[in-house]
Every structure is written in structure tokens, then in C-alpha cells.
Amino acid sequence: MQARWFACLPDAEAAIAEYEGQGQGRRGRRPRPWRYHVVRYHVVSDTRRTRRARRGRPTKMDPLPMESGYRLVVEVEALANPEEDNGWTVLATTVDAEGCPDTDVLQAYQDQNTTVEPGFRWIKNPAAIAPVWLEKPERIAALAMLTVLGLLVYSVIQRQVRLYLRTHDQQLPGNKGMTVTPTAAVVLALFTQVALVQFWIDEQEVTQLSGVHPHHRLVCDALGLDSSWYALPSAQKNGRDIQTP
């Protein structure tokens, strides 16, 4: 609006009325006020340089060609929108509103900064969870419960692995080298390269295990899991050079 130039005062005033939704050019449309700002317009007289009326190089004594007109000046003042600034939070809980108000439920949820709360970061990604449609409140509650339980397990894995690494002065491969504080996502990603292949040669079963490294067994020890899951049977260990083609 401030870049427009008007030759007369009525044209500038008509432009203000049109922009505010009151002009003839917006017939049939309701004015739409600014939502987050207070905008005020006023007209000021001004001059600007124009092109010369005739061709050729001007002399040093020729005055600069100027014209008088009007332009708009816009003053903007931001509005306070505390409700919209705070945003919205969806609370999925089976706690009765009479027994625990929404503010207390939200505070209890946000206080879980070392358990469930950090796990919701990757769920907020649109590609992390497929859209679901649950019509019954019981099914919505069941999905919320399964999500929270899954995030609790996710947090326990991270806590136990970090505690074990600090206690035993060990490290695991991370996104940027070795680390003593891996996230649960990093711990789980370490096992994506492990592959167990079983096939038969004549009547003999052959098992091949690849991608297993010492840090995988370190994670098993940290979580109290049986690391023998990632080991070949003793009979095949002795004869794997013969059995593996």
C-alpha cells in the first residue's frame, strides 16, 4: 500500500476505503479486519522525481523533473493474543475431570520430562505414525494407553543403556562417533544391520549370522537380554568353514 502513488487526495482516500473492505470494488464481501494487528492509514502529500518530457541530455542548469502527489502511510501495532499464543494441547486420559482438572493433568504430563514426554517428539512427525480412525472412546483410550506403554519401554531402554555405559566405562557408536549417552533410537538402529539367514543343503540346515559386533552384546548385557540369540550353534561354529558355501 505504501508503494502506491496517487495524483489526487480523493484517489488516496478511495484506496484506503477499498483496502479496508468498504469500497465499491468489494461489493457483496464483508470486511475482514486484521486479526493480529491494528492497522491505521493516513494520507501525506509528497513529491517524486519523474522522467523528462523531452529527449536528449539535460544541461547542468535544468532542474530535476518532479511531480506532486499523495501516498499512504501505514502504522501497524501488534495485538496481544494470549489464548492463541499459548496454543492447544490435546489431553488423552481416563482421569475424571472432577477428580483432576485439566490444568493438573497437563502439569502432571509436562512434569514427565525424563519418561514419556521426550518420546513424543518423533511421533509428531507426520511420517512416524499412519492415520487412524477410532470411533469409540474405548478404542481411543486403548490406543493412548498402548502409545504411553510403548514410550515407557522406549525410555527404560535408553535409561538402562546409559546407566550401564557409565557404570562400566563403555561407549556405543552414535550419530557422531562414540558416545556414552545414546538415545533409544540410536540403540535400536544399531541392530538394523544384524541378519540371520537359515537355509538347507541336502538334509542339513545351515545358519549364517552377519553384522554382529561387540557393541550388540554390550547392549544385551545392559538390558539383561540373552546375548546367545546373536550367536551360532556350537556345532556350526566348528564346521562353518565346510558348511558355508
Coordinates of all heavy atoms in Angstrom, one line a residue, residues 71-154:
R71 N 0.6 9.9 -1.1 CA 0.9 8.5 -0.8 C 0.3 8.1 0.5 O 0.0 9.0 1.3 CB 2.4 8.2 -0.9 CG 3.2 8.9 0.1 CD 4.7 8.6 0.0 NE 5.5 9.3 1.0 CZ 5.8 8.9 2.2 NH1 5.3 7.7 2.6 NH2 6.5 9.6 3.0
L72 N 0.2 6.8 0.8 CA -0.3 6.3 2.0 C 0.8 6.0 3.0 O 1.8 5.4 2.6 CB -1.2 5.1 1.8 CG -2.4 5.3 0.8 CD1 -3.2 4.0 0.7 CD2 -3.3 6.4 1.3
V73 N 0.5 6.2 4.3 CA 1.4 5.8 5.3 C 0.7 4.9 6.2 O -0.5 5.2 6.7 CB 1.9 7.0 6.1 CG1 2.8 6.6 7.3 CG2 2.8 8.0 5.2
V74 N 1.2 3.7 6.5 CA 0.6 2.7 7.3 C 1.3 2.5 8.6 O 2.5 2.3 8.6 CB 0.6 1.3 6.5 CG1 -0.2 0.3 7.3 CG2 -0.1 1.5 5.1
E75 N 0.6 2.6 9.7 CA 1.1 2.4 11.0 C 0.5 1.1 11.6 O -0.7 0.9 11.5 CB 0.7 3.5 11.9 CG 1.3 4.9 11.5 CD 0.9 6.0 12.4 OE1 0.1 5.7 13.3 OE2 1.4 7.1 12.2
V76 N 1.3 0.2 12.0 CA 0.9 -1.1 12.5 C 1.3 -1.3 14.0 O 2.4 -1.0 14.4 CB 1.6 -2.3 11.7 CG1 1.2 -3.6 12.2 CG2 1.3 -2.1 10.2
E77 N 0.3 -1.8 14.7 CA 0.5 -2.1 16.1 C 0.1 -3.5 16.4 O -1.1 -3.9 16.1 CB -0.3 -1.1 17.0 CG -0.2 -1.4 18.5 CD -1.0 -0.4 19.3 OE1 -1.6 0.5 18.7 OE2 -1.1 -0.6 20.5
A78 N 0.9 -4.4 17.0 CA 0.6 -5.8 17.2 C -0.4 -5.9 18.4 O -0.3 -5.2 19.4 CB 1.9 -6.5 17.5
L79 N -1.3 -6.8 18.2 CA -2.3 -7.1 19.3 C -1.8 -8.3 20.1 O -1.1 -9.2 19.7 CB -3.6 -7.5 18.7 CG -4.4 -6.4 17.9 CD1 -5.6 -7.0 17.3 CD2 -4.7 -5.3 18.9
A80 N -2.2 -8.3 21.4 CA -1.9 -9.4 22.3 C -2.9 -10.4 22.1 O -4.1 -10.2 22.3 CB -1.8 -8.9 23.7
N81 N -2.5 -11.7 21.8 CA -3.4 -12.8 21.7 C -2.9 -13.9 22.6 O -2.3 -14.9 22.2 CB -3.4 -13.3 20.2 CG -4.0 -12.2 19.3 OD1 -5.2 -12.1 19.2 ND2 -3.1 -11.5 18.7
P82 N -3.1 -13.8 23.9 CA -2.6 -14.8 24.9 C -3.2 -16.2 24.6 O -2.4 -17.2 24.7 CB -3.0 -14.3 26.2 CG -4.2 -13.4 26.0 CD -3.9 -12.8 24.6
E83 N -4.4 -16.3 24.2 CA -5.0 -17.6 24.1 C -4.4 -18.3 22.8 O -4.1 -19.5 22.9 CB -6.5 -17.5 23.9 CG -7.2 -17.0 25.2 CD -8.7 -17.0 25.0 OE1 -9.2 -17.3 23.9 OE2 -9.4 -16.7 26.0
E84 N -4.3 -17.6 21.7 CA -3.7 -18.2 20.5 C -2.2 -18.4 20.6 O -1.7 -19.3 20.1 CB -4.1 -17.3 19.3 CG -5.6 -17.2 19.1 CD -5.8 -16.4 17.8 OE1 -4.9 -16.1 17.1 OE2 -7.0 -16.2 17.5
D85 N -1.5 -17.5 21.4 CA -0.1 -17.7 21.6 C 0.2 -18.9 22.4 O 1.2 -19.6 22.1 CB 0.5 -16.5 22.3 CG 0.4 -15.2 21.4 OD1 0.3 -15.4 20.2 OD2 0.6 -14.1 22.0
N86 N -0.6 -19.3 23.3 CA -0.4 -20.5 24.1 C -0.7 -21.7 23.3 O -0.2 -22.8 23.6 CB -1.3 -20.4 25.4 CG -0.8 -19.4 26.3 OD1 0.4 -19.0 26.3 ND2 -1.7 -18.8 27.2
G87 N -1.6 -21.7 22.3 CA -1.9 -22.8 21.5 C -2.8 -23.8 22.2 O -3.5 -23.4 23.2
W88 N -2.9 -25.0 21.7 CA -3.8 -26.0 22.2 C -3.0 -27.3 22.6 O -2.0 -27.6 22.0 CB -4.9 -26.3 21.2 CG -5.8 -25.2 20.9 CD1 -5.6 -24.2 19.9 CD2 -7.0 -24.9 21.5 NE1 -6.6 -23.3 19.9 CE2 -7.5 -23.7 20.9 CE3 -7.8 -25.5 22.5 CZ2 -8.7 -23.1 21.3 CZ3 -8.9 -24.9 22.9 CH2 -9.4 -23.7 22.3
T89 N -3.5 -28.0 23.5 CA -3.0 -29.2 23.9 C -4.1 -30.3 24.1 O -5.1 -30.0 24.7 CB -2.2 -29.1 25.3 OG1 -1.2 -28.2 25.2 CG2 -1.7 -30.5 25.7
V90 N -3.9 -31.4 23.4 CA -4.9 -32.5 23.5 C -4.5 -33.4 24.6 O -3.4 -33.9 24.7 CB -4.9 -33.3 22.2 CG1 -5.9 -34.4 22.3 CG2 -5.3 -32.4 21.0
L91 N -5.5 -33.6 25.5 CA -5.3 -34.5 26.7 C -6.1 -35.8 26.5 O -7.3 -35.7 26.4 CB -5.8 -33.7 28.0 CG -5.1 -32.4 28.3 CD1 -5.7 -31.8 29.6 CD2 -3.6 -32.6 28.5
A92 N -5.3 -36.9 26.5 CA -6.0 -38.2 26.4 C -5.8 -38.9 27.7 O -4.6 -39.3 28.0 CB -5.4 -39.0 25.2
T93 N -6.8 -39.0 28.5 CA -6.7 -39.6 29.8 C -8.0 -40.2 30.3 O -9.1 -39.8 29.8 CB -6.2 -38.5 30.9 OG1 -6.2 -39.0 32.2 CG2 -7.2 -37.3 30.9
T94 N -7.9 -41.1 31.2 CA -9.1 -41.7 31.7 C -9.4 -41.1 33.1 O -10.4 -41.6 33.8 CB -8.9 -43.2 31.9 OG1 -7.7 -43.5 32.7 CG2 -8.7 -43.9 30.5
V95 N -8.7 -40.1 33.5 CA -8.9 -39.5 34.8 C -10.1 -38.6 34.7 O -10.2 -37.8 33.7 CB -7.7 -38.6 35.2 CG1 -7.9 -37.9 36.6 CG2 -6.4 -39.5 35.3
D96 N -11.0 -38.6 35.7 CA -12.2 -37.8 35.7 C -11.9 -36.4 35.8 O -11.0 -36.0 36.7 CB -13.2 -38.3 36.8 CG -14.6 -37.8 36.6 OD1 -14.7 -36.8 35.8 OD2 -15.5 -38.2 37.3
A97 N -12.6 -35.5 35.1 CA -12.3 -34.1 35.2 C -12.6 -33.5 36.6 O -12.1 -32.6 37.0 CB -13.1 -33.3 34.1
E98 N -13.6 -34.2 37.3 CA -14.0 -33.7 38.6 C -12.9 -34.1 39.6 O -12.6 -33.3 40.6 CB -15.3 -34.3 39.0 CG -16.5 -33.9 38.1 CD -17.7 -34.6 38.6 OE1 -17.7 -35.4 39.5 OE2 -18.8 -34.3 38.0
G99 N -12.2 -35.2 39.4 CA -11.2 -35.6 40.3 C -9.9 -34.9 40.1 O -9.0 -34.7 41.0
C100 N -9.6 -34.5 38.8 CA -8.4 -33.8 38.5 C -8.6 -32.9 37.3 O -8.9 -33.3 36.2 CB -7.3 -34.9 38.0 SG -5.7 -34.2 37.8
P101 N -8.5 -31.6 37.6 CA -8.8 -30.6 36.5 C -7.8 -30.7 35.3 O -6.8 -31.3 35.5 CB -8.7 -29.2 37.2 CG -8.8 -29.6 38.7 CD -8.3 -30.9 38.8
D102 N -8.2 -30.1 34.2 CA -7.3 -30.2 33.0 C -6.0 -29.6 33.3 O -4.9 -30.1 32.8 CB -8.0 -29.5 31.9 CG -9.2 -30.2 31.4 OD1 -9.4 -31.4 31.7 OD2 -10.0 -29.6 30.6
T103 N -5.9 -28.5 34.0 CA -4.6 -27.9 34.3 C -3.7 -28.8 35.1 O -2.5 -28.8 34.8 CB -4.8 -26.5 35.1 OG1 -5.6 -26.8 36.3 CG2 -5.5 -25.5 34.2
D104 N -4.3 -29.6 36.0 CA -3.4 -30.5 36.8 C -3.0 -31.7 36.0 O -1.8 -32.1 36.1 CB -4.2 -31.0 38.0 CG -4.5 -29.9 39.0 OD1 -3.9 -28.9 38.9 OD2 -5.4 -30.1 39.9
V105 N -3.8 -32.1 35.1 CA -3.4 -33.2 34.2 C -2.3 -32.8 33.2 O -1.3 -33.5 33.0 CB -4.7 -33.7 33.4 CG1 -4.2 -34.7 32.3 CG2 -5.7 -34.3 34.3
L106 N -2.5 -31.6 32.7 CA -1.4 -31.0 31.8 C -0.1 -30.9 32.6 O 1.0 -31.2 32.0 CB -1.9 -29.7 31.2 CG -0.9 -29.0 30.3 CD1 -0.6 -29.9 29.1 CD2 -1.4 -27.7 29.9
Q107 N -0.2 -30.4 33.8 CA 1.1 -30.2 34.6 C 1.7 -31.5 34.9 O 3.0 -31.7 34.8 CB 0.8 -29.4 35.9 CG 2.0 -29.1 36.7 CD 2.9 -28.1 35.9 OE1 2.4 -27.2 35.3 NE2 4.2 -28.4 36.0
A108 N 0.9 -32.5 35.2 CA 1.5 -33.8 35.5 C 2.1 -34.4 34.3 O 3.2 -35.1 34.3 CB 0.4 -34.8 36.1
Y109 N 1.5 -34.2 33.1 CA 2.1 -34.7 31.9 C 3.4 -34.0 31.5 O 4.4 -34.7 31.2 CB 1.0 -34.5 30.7 CG 1.6 -34.6 29.4 CD1 1.9 -35.8 28.8 CD2 1.8 -33.5 28.6 CE1 2.4 -35.9 27.5 CE2 2.4 -33.6 27.3 CZ 2.7 -34.8 26.8 OH 3.2 -34.9 25.5
Q110 N 3.4 -32.7 31.7 CA 4.7 -32.0 31.3 C 5.8 -32.3 32.3 O 7.0 -32.1 32.0 CB 4.4 -30.5 31.3 CG 3.4 -30.1 30.1 CD 3.1 -28.6 30.1 OE1 3.3 -27.9 31.1 NE2 2.6 -28.2 28.9
D111 N 5.5 -32.7 33.6 CA 6.5 -33.0 34.5 C 7.2 -34.3 34.2 O 8.2 -34.6 34.8 CB 5.9 -33.1 35.9 CG 5.5 -31.7 36.5 OD1 6.0 -30.7 35.9 OD2 4.7 -31.6 37.4
Q112 N 6.7 -35.1 33.3 CA 7.4 -36.3 32.9 C 8.5 -36.1 31.9 O 8.5 -36.7 30.8 CB 6.3 -37.3 32.3 CG 5.2 -37.6 33.3 CD 4.2 -38.6 32.7 OE1 4.2 -39.8 33.0 NE2 3.4 -38.1 31.8
N113 N 9.3 -35.1 32.2 CA 10.4 -34.8 31.2 C 11.4 -35.8 31.1 O 12.3 -35.7 30.2 CB 11.0 -33.4 31.5 CG 11.4 -33.4 33.0 OD1 11.5 -34.4 33.7 ND2 11.8 -32.2 33.4
T114 N 11.5 -36.8 31.9 CA 12.5 -37.9 31.8 C 11.9 -39.2 31.5 O 12.6 -40.2 31.5 CB 13.3 -38.0 33.2 OG1 12.3 -38.3 34.2 CG2 14.0 -36.7 33.5
T115 N 10.6 -39.3 31.2 CA 10.0 -40.5 30.9 C 9.3 -40.5 29.5 O 9.9 -40.7 28.5 CB 9.0 -40.9 32.0 OG1 8.0 -39.8 32.1 CG2 9.7 -41.2 33.3
V116 N 8.0 -40.2 29.5 CA 7.2 -40.3 28.3 C 7.4 -39.0 27.4 O 7.5 -39.2 26.2 CB 5.7 -40.5 28.6 CG1 4.9 -40.5 27.4 CG2 5.6 -41.8 29.3
E117 N 7.4 -37.9 28.0 CA 7.3 -36.6 27.2 C 8.3 -36.5 26.1 O 8.0 -36.2 24.9 CB 7.4 -35.4 28.1 CG 7.6 -34.1 27.5 CD 6.4 -33.7 26.6 OE1 5.3 -34.3 26.8 OE2 6.6 -32.8 25.7
P118 N 9.7 -36.8 26.3 CA 10.6 -36.7 25.2 C 10.3 -37.6 24.0 O 10.7 -37.4 22.9 CB 12.0 -37.0 25.8 CG 11.8 -36.7 27.2 CD 10.3 -37.1 27.5
G119 N 9.6 -38.8 24.3 CA 9.4 -39.7 23.2 C 8.3 -39.3 22.2 O 8.3 -39.8 21.1
F120 N 7.5 -38.2 22.5 CA 6.5 -37.8 21.6 C 7.1 -36.9 20.5 O 6.4 -36.5 19.6 CB 5.5 -37.0 22.4 CG 4.4 -37.8 23.0 CD1 4.5 -38.0 24.4 CD2 3.4 -38.4 22.3 CE1 3.6 -38.8 25.0 CE2 2.5 -39.1 23.0 CZ 2.6 -39.4 24.3
R121 N 8.4 -36.6 20.6 CA 9.0 -35.8 19.5 C 8.9 -36.5 18.2 O 8.6 -35.9 17.2 CB 10.4 -35.5 19.9 CG 10.6 -34.6 21.1 CD 12.1 -34.5 21.5 NE 12.2 -33.8 22.8 CZ 13.4 -33.6 23.4 NH1 14.5 -34.1 22.9 NH2 13.4 -33.0 24.6
W122 N 9.3 -37.8 18.1 CA 9.3 -38.5 16.8 C 7.9 -38.9 16.4 O 7.6 -39.1 15.2 CB 10.2 -39.7 16.9 CG 9.9 -40.7 17.9 CD1 10.4 -40.7 19.2 CD2 9.1 -41.8 17.8 NE1 9.9 -41.8 19.9 CE2 9.1 -42.5 19.0 CE3 8.3 -42.3 16.8 CZ2 8.4 -43.6 19.3 CZ3 7.6 -43.5 17.0 CH2 7.6 -44.1 18.2
I123 N 6.9 -39.0 17.3 CA 5.6 -39.3 17.0 C 4.9 -38.1 16.3 O 4.0 -38.3 15.4 CB 4.8 -39.7 18.2 CG1 5.2 -41.1 18.7 CG2 3.3 -39.7 17.9 CD1 4.4 -41.6 19.8
K124 N 5.4 -36.9 16.6 CA 4.8 -35.7 16.0 C 5.1 -35.6 14.5 O 4.5 -34.8 13.8 CB 5.2 -34.4 16.7 CG 4.7 -34.4 18.1 CD 5.3 -33.2 18.9 CE 4.8 -33.2 20.3 NZ 5.4 -32.1 21.1
N125 N 6.1 -36.3 14.0 CA 6.4 -36.3 12.6 C 5.3 -37.0 11.8 O 4.9 -38.1 12.2 CB 7.8 -37.1 12.4 CG 8.2 -37.0 11.0 OD1 7.5 -36.7 10.0 ND2 9.5 -37.2 10.8
P126 N 4.8 -36.3 10.8 CA 3.7 -37.0 10.0 C 4.0 -38.3 9.5 O 3.1 -39.1 9.3 CB 3.4 -35.9 8.9 CG 3.9 -34.7 9.4 CD 5.1 -35.0 10.3
A127 N 5.3 -38.6 9.2 CA 5.6 -39.9 8.6 C 5.9 -41.0 9.7 O 6.1 -42.1 9.3 CB 6.9 -39.7 7.8
A128 N 5.8 -40.6 10.9 CA 6.1 -41.6 12.0 C 4.9 -42.5 12.4 O 5.1 -43.6 12.8 CB 6.5 -40.8 13.3
I129 N 3.7 -42.0 12.2 CA 2.6 -42.8 12.5 C 1.5 -42.7 11.4 O 1.3 -41.6 11.0 CB 2.0 -42.4 13.9 CG1 0.9 -43.4 14.3 CG2 1.6 -41.0 13.9 CD1 0.4 -43.2 15.7
A130 N 0.9 -43.8 11.0 CA -0.1 -43.7 10.0 C -1.4 -43.2 10.5 O -1.7 -43.3 11.7 CB -0.3 -45.1 9.4
P131 N -2.2 -42.5 9.7 CA -3.5 -42.0 10.2 C -4.4 -43.2 10.7 O -4.5 -44.2 10.0 CB -4.1 -41.3 9.0 CG -3.0 -41.0 8.1 CD -2.0 -42.1 8.3
V132 N -5.1 -43.0 11.8 CA -6.1 -44.0 12.3 C -7.4 -43.3 12.6 O -7.4 -42.1 12.9 CB -5.5 -44.6 13.6 CG1 -4.3 -45.5 13.3 CG2 -5.2 -43.6 14.6
W133 N -8.5 -44.1 12.4 CA -9.8 -43.5 12.7 C -10.4 -44.5 13.7 O -10.7 -45.6 13.4 CB -10.6 -43.5 11.4 CG -10.2 -42.4 10.5 CD1 -10.6 -41.1 10.4 CD2 -9.1 -42.5 9.5 NE1 -9.9 -40.4 9.4 CE2 -9.0 -41.3 8.8 CE3 -8.3 -43.6 9.1 CZ2 -8.1 -41.0 7.8 CZ3 -7.4 -43.3 8.0 CH2 -7.3 -42.1 7.4
L134 N -10.6 -43.9 14.9 CA -11.2 -44.7 16.0 C -12.5 -44.0 16.4 O -12.5 -42.9 16.8 CB -10.3 -44.8 17.2 CG -8.9 -45.4 16.9 CD1 -8.0 -45.3 18.1 CD2 -9.1 -46.9 16.5
E135 N -13.6 -44.7 16.3 CA -14.9 -44.1 16.5 C -15.3 -44.2 18.0 O -16.0 -43.3 18.5 CB -16.0 -44.8 15.7 CG -15.8 -44.7 14.2 CD -16.8 -45.4 13.4 OE1 -17.7 -46.0 14.0 OE2 -16.8 -45.2 12.1
K136 N -15.0 -45.3 18.7 CA -15.4 -45.4 20.1 C -14.4 -44.9 21.1 O -13.2 -45.0 20.9 CB -15.6 -46.9 20.3 CG -16.7 -47.6 19.5 CD -16.9 -49.0 19.9 CE -18.0 -49.7 19.1 NZ -18.2 -51.1 19.5
P137 N -14.9 -44.2 22.1 CA -13.9 -43.7 23.1 C -13.1 -44.8 23.7 O -11.9 -44.5 24.1 CB -14.9 -43.1 24.2 CG -16.1 -42.8 23.4 CD -16.3 -43.9 22.4
E138 N -13.6 -46.0 23.9 CA -12.8 -47.1 24.5 C -11.6 -47.4 23.6 O -10.5 -47.7 24.1 CB -13.7 -48.4 24.6 CG -14.8 -48.2 25.6 CD -16.0 -47.5 25.0 OE1 -16.0 -47.2 23.8 OE2 -17.0 -47.3 25.7
R139 N -11.8 -47.4 22.3 CA -10.6 -47.7 21.4 C -9.6 -46.5 21.4 O -8.4 -46.8 21.3 CB -11.1 -47.9 20.0 CG -12.0 -49.1 19.8 CD -12.5 -49.3 18.4 NE -13.2 -50.6 18.3 CZ -13.8 -51.0 17.1 NH1 -13.6 -50.3 16.0 NH2 -14.5 -52.1 17.1
I140 N -10.1 -45.3 21.5 CA -9.2 -44.2 21.6 C -8.3 -44.3 22.9 O -7.1 -44.0 22.9 CB -10.0 -42.8 21.6 CG1 -10.7 -42.7 20.3 CG2 -9.0 -41.7 21.8 CD1 -11.5 -41.5 20.2
A141 N -9.0 -44.6 24.0 CA -8.3 -44.8 25.3 C -7.3 -46.0 25.2 O -6.2 -45.9 25.7 CB -9.3 -45.1 26.4
A142 N -7.7 -47.0 24.5 CA -6.7 -48.2 24.4 C -5.5 -47.8 23.5 O -4.4 -48.2 23.9 CB -7.5 -49.4 23.7
L143 N -5.7 -47.0 22.5 CA -4.6 -46.6 21.7 C -3.7 -45.7 22.5 O -2.4 -45.8 22.4 CB -5.1 -45.9 20.4 CG -4.0 -45.3 19.5 CD1 -3.0 -46.4 19.0 CD2 -4.6 -44.6 18.3
A144 N -4.3 -44.8 23.2 CA -3.4 -43.9 24.1 C -2.6 -44.7 25.1 O -1.5 -44.4 25.3 CB -4.3 -42.8 24.7
M145 N -3.3 -45.7 25.7 CA -2.6 -46.5 26.7 C -1.4 -47.2 26.0 O -0.3 -47.3 26.6 CB -3.5 -47.4 27.3 CG -2.9 -48.4 28.3 SD -2.1 -47.5 29.7 CE -3.5 -46.9 30.6
L146 N -1.6 -47.8 24.9 CA -0.6 -48.6 24.2 C 0.6 -47.6 23.8 O 1.8 -48.0 23.9 CB -1.1 -49.3 23.0 CG -2.1 -50.5 23.2 CD1 -2.6 -51.0 21.9 CD2 -1.3 -51.6 24.0
T147 N 0.2 -46.4 23.4 CA 1.3 -45.5 23.0 C 2.1 -45.1 24.2 O 3.4 -45.1 24.1 CB 0.6 -44.2 22.4 OG1 -0.2 -44.6 21.3 CG2 1.7 -43.2 22.0
V148 N 1.5 -44.8 25.3 CA 2.2 -44.5 26.5 C 3.1 -45.6 27.0 O 4.3 -45.4 27.4 CB 1.3 -44.0 27.6 CG1 2.0 -43.8 28.9 CG2 0.6 -42.7 27.2
L149 N 2.6 -46.8 27.0 CA 3.3 -48.0 27.4 C 4.5 -48.2 26.5 O 5.6 -48.5 27.0 CB 2.5 -49.3 27.4 CG 1.4 -49.3 28.5 CD1 0.6 -50.6 28.4 CD2 2.1 -49.3 29.9
G150 N 4.3 -48.0 25.2 CA 5.5 -48.2 24.3 C 6.5 -47.1 24.5 O 7.7 -47.4 24.5
L151 N 6.1 -45.9 24.8 CA 7.1 -44.9 25.1 C 7.8 -45.1 26.5 O 9.0 -44.7 26.6 CB 6.4 -43.5 25.1 CG 6.0 -43.0 23.7 CD1 5.2 -41.7 23.9 CD2 7.1 -42.9 22.8
L152 N 7.1 -45.7 27.4 CA 7.7 -46.1 28.7 C 8.9 -47.1 28.5 O 10.0 -47.0 29.0 CB 6.7 -46.6 29.7 CG 5.8 -45.6 30.3 CD1 4.7 -46.2 31.1 CD2 6.6 -44.6 31.2
V153 N 8.6 -48.1 27.7 CA 9.6 -49.1 27.3 C 10.8 -48.5 26.6 O 11.9 -48.7 26.8 CB 9.0 -50.3 26.5 CG1 10.1 -51.2 26.0 CG2 7.9 -51.0 27.3
Y154 N 10.4 -47.6 25.7 CA 11.4 -46.8 24.9 C 12.3 -46.0 25.9 O 13.6 -46.0 25.7 CB 10.7 -45.9 24.0 CG 11.5 -45.1 23.0 CD1 11.9 -45.6 21.8 CD2 11.9 -43.8 23.4 CE1 12.7 -44.8 20.9 CE2 12.7 -43.0 22.5 CZ 13.1 -43.5 21.3 OH 13.8 -42.8 20.4

